[in-house]
Amino acid sequence: MRVYLAVIALLAAVHSEELFNGDHVLRVHAESEDHIQILKELERDVNSGLDFWTHAVSTERPVDIRVPHSSLNAVKLFLKKSNIPFTVMINNVQELLVREREEMVHNAEMERKTKSFNFAAYHDLETIYKFMDTLVDKHSNLISKERIGSTFENRPMYVLKFSTGGEKKPAIWIDAGIHAREWISHATAVWLANRIATDFEKNRALVPSILGHVDIYLMIVANPDGYVFTHHSPNTHYRLWRKSRSVTSNPKCPGVDLNRNWDAHFGGPGASDDPCAEDYRGPSVQSEIEVKNIADFIMSHGNFKSFMTLHSYKQLLMYPYGYSGTDAPDKPELHDVATQASKALNSWHGTVYKVGSIFHTIEPASGASADWAYLRGIKYSFAFELRDTGKYGFLLPADQIVSTATETWLALKYIMKHVCDHPY
Ligand SMILES: [Zn+2]
């Protein structure tokens, strides 16, 4: 196998012009423990140029790999020789990137002309920050904006606080976008901010009663530097950037996986110590200013009862642990809440979610935020992987934003109500 890996690495090195026409996303089906080990080794080879969108964990879960056009034949041959079946999920990544960018340009023009905000479109950081200000102005009786610190590149990090008043009320945390390329999570959070405000204003169930019990804190962009990079880097390919933008020990490989950097069994399974890996955990626990800012904010508040984090893709609703396969003490209740929430979600469009612990449902992941929150006594800790199941992966078309957000809202509302009804 090493020979094939070397061939793939060589081709990736030749592929330096950074054109992505013809990049494929292959869906690979491991059928044995041997297959899983082969795929794991392939993923560990950070020089291969392959971008694992999902990971080899079990024979029940396919592995999606973005393969540069220049490596395509070598990778296909390698998989065939290894008797590992695969199908093509996306046969030209560049086409999707270009279409998405054209849609955004067109939408920005429309928004300028009509002076309105289109929830069915993706927006850059500047536009999202402006949207937040407009929303706060419009609903100043309910919403305030708090700056919780700055990023590595010195951008402000904001949370929206939805509150009907009262000192140190119990609170619910929702964040999105800790992984930069998961654009549907930011877009969903934007829609949610507006929905919570309008439901409150129009006295629509269940928002007034939820906000009677708790404050809601919503962080729409948890990784602003990474998000800006996915929009404004000269190379469309960086649309698929996942990590932060901090400097690492390897000048060629900036960025830390902000969802492996938390003080939750940092350095355990499912996180890499290689700065070039997509799941690089960082040099030390909470080394990343973005993680530290959020952790400090939540700890200094001291009364969070629920922590929810939005990712994509795979359609999963998960609870701790990610660092270990053992059950969390509250697993029965968390599983039941997640199951009911996913049923609520399903009632809108029939979208099917899988429910379980992070470790068993998606992959082992140490240093993740949901574990961190849970280990600090925030019992109702959940991680969502939003749409889809891989047809578009991280490049979900904008015309699915509103339906994704609407169904997600039903699940979030169910969980919020449960939190209010079960004080602890
Ligand atoms: Zn993610």
Side-chain angles (χ1 to χ4, degrees):
M1 182 176 77
R2 295 222 166 263
V3 176
Y4 283 104
L5 287 178
V7 170
I8 293 167
L10 187 68
L11 284 165
V14 169
H15 175 75
S16 58
E17 75 279 22
E18 305 279 319
L19 290 173
F20 300 93
N21 271 321
D23 275 21
H24 278 42
V25 175
L26 298 183
R27 172 154 288 189
V28 182
H29 300 272
E31 290 181 329
S32 66
E33 197 47 45
D34 275 358
H35 288 172
I36 290 172
Q37 289 313 319
I38 289 169
L39 292 168
K40 277 186 171 166
E41 191 170 337
L42 199 56
E43 183 171 8
R44 271 197 295 272
D45 181 2
V46 291
N47 296 316
S48 69
L50 304 181
D51 175 13
F52 278 68
W53 284 11
T54 65
H55 311 277
V57 185
S58 88
T59 51
E60 282 154 42
R61 280 170 266 168
V63 184
D64 296 345
I65 313 171
R66 184 179 58 78
V67 183
H69 181 63
S70 57
S71 311
L72 200 53
N73 284 338
V75 171
K76 283 182 173 173
L77 195 64
F78 169 70
L79 292 170
K80 277 179 192 154
K81 293 242 176 185
S82 309
N83 287 317
I84 307 178
F86 63 90
T87 53
V88 176
M89 286 299 281
I90 300 175
N91 67 17
N92 191 350
V93 173
Q94 183 72 6
E95 210 173 274
L96 293 179
L97 294 175
V98 168
R99 193 186 309 158
E100 186 180 74
R101 202 154 269 203
E102 283 171 358
E103 276 180 16
M104 278 187 70
V105 169
H106 175 71
N107 178 67
E109 217 174 278
M110 290 299 290
E111 287 183 339
R112 253 196 312 276
K113 273 188 197 157
T114 58
K115 293 191 170 44
S116 62
F117 186 91
N118 179 11
F119 289 95
Y122 292 114
H123 298 91
D124 61 16
L125 185 74
E126 199 191 337
T127 314
I128 290 177
Y129 277 7
K130 271 190 203 142
F131 157 80
M132 283 163 56
D133 288 337
T134 310
L135 195 73
V136 171
D137 282 348
K138 197 173 161 195
H139 302 273
S140 54
N141 59 329
L142 179 70
I143 315 176
S144 55
K145 186 178 87 172
E146 292 187 27
R147 181 174 178 158
I148 67 160
S150 303
T151 65
F152 179 80
E153 292 179 332
N154 210 24
R155 293 188 176 85
M157 295 176 73
Y158 294 121
V159 291
L160 293 177
K161 178 186 180 186
F162 299 76
S163 177
T164 56
E167 278 295 299
K168 290 282 176 198
K169 259 158 74 178
I172 289 174
W173 173 271
I174 304 169
D175 68 65
I178 199 165
H179 289 143
R181 63 188 174 186
E182 298 166 6
W183 280 13
I184 185 59
S185 70
H186 311 82
T188 294
V190 164
W191 184 95
L192 286 171
N194 185 62
R195 182 61 188 254
I196 295 168
T198 48
D199 272 16
F200 179 75
E201 190 177 281
K202 294 184 174 158
N203 206 19
R204 278 199 295 240
L206 306 155
V207 170
S209 88
I210 289 171
L211 285 170
H213 288 88
V214 296
D215 292 340
I216 300 170
Y217 288 84
L218 176 64
M219 180 162 221
I220 297 175
V221 189
N223 175 10
D225 293 350
Y227 192 57
V228 167
F229 194 63
T230 63
H231 283 273
H232 297 306
S233 63
N235 187 330
T236 50
H237 180 242
Y238 289 126
R239 163 68 178 84
L240 294 167
W241 188 259
R242 165 184 168 97
K243 299 190 279 184
S244 70
R245 293 294 299 158
S246 62
V247 170
T248 69
S249 58
N250 183 335
K252 286 186 184 157
C253 298
V256 167
D257 184 340
L258 295 181
N259 205 32
R260 299 291 183 277
N261 190 243
W262 296 72
D263 190 3
H265 293 260
F266 176 83
S272 174
D273 60 1
D274 181 345
C276 297
E278 288 289 2
D279 61 350
Y280 175 47
R281 67 193 187 203
S284 60
V285 66
Q286 292 189 8
S287 57
E288 302 310 291
I289 186 68
E290 294 84 359
V291 170
K292 192 177 177 319
N293 287 339
I294 300 172
D296 286 351
F297 179 79
I298 289 175
M299 292 311 288
S300 71
H301 179 284
N303 203 15
F304 277 93
K305 300 297 180 189
S306 175
F307 178 98
M308 293 186 271
T309 181
L310 306 181
H311 290 250
S312 76
Y313 60 97
K314 275 281 170 207
Q315 294 175 196
L316 310 170
L317 178 40
M318 302 172 292
Y319 46 81
Y321 296 121
Y323 79 90
S324 158
T326 55
D327 286 352
D330 299 295
K331 189 209 161 177
E333 183 184 5
L334 296 179
H335 187 83
D336 185 53
V337 173
T339 303
Q340 296 305 322
S342 75
K343 276 185 192 160
L345 184 154
N346 176 274
S347 69
W348 186 253
H349 293 288
T351 305
V352 176
Y353 264 54
K354 217 176 133 187
V355 166
S357 78
I358 297 167
F359 187 97
H360 289 296
T361 312
I362 184 161
E363 59 188 334
S366 57
S369 65
D371 277 4
W372 174 85
Y374 185 77
L375 292 169
R376 276 162 193 71
I378 303 174
K379 176 165 68 164
Y380 297 112
S381 175
F382 297 96
F384 285 71
E385 295 283 352
L386 305 179
R387 290 191 198 177
D388 56 10
T389 55
K391 184 174 180 200
Y392 296 103
F394 301 118
L395 301 171
L396 193 72
D399 62 12
Q400 291 198 42
I401 291 173
V402 173
S403 48
T404 301
T406 309
E407 67 193 11
T408 305
W409 170 233
L410 298 179
L412 290 170
K413 248 192 330 186
Y414 180 88
I415 295 171
M416 288 184 196
K417 182 167 187 329
H418 186 89
V419 172
C420 293
D421 292 347
H422 297 79
Y424 66 96

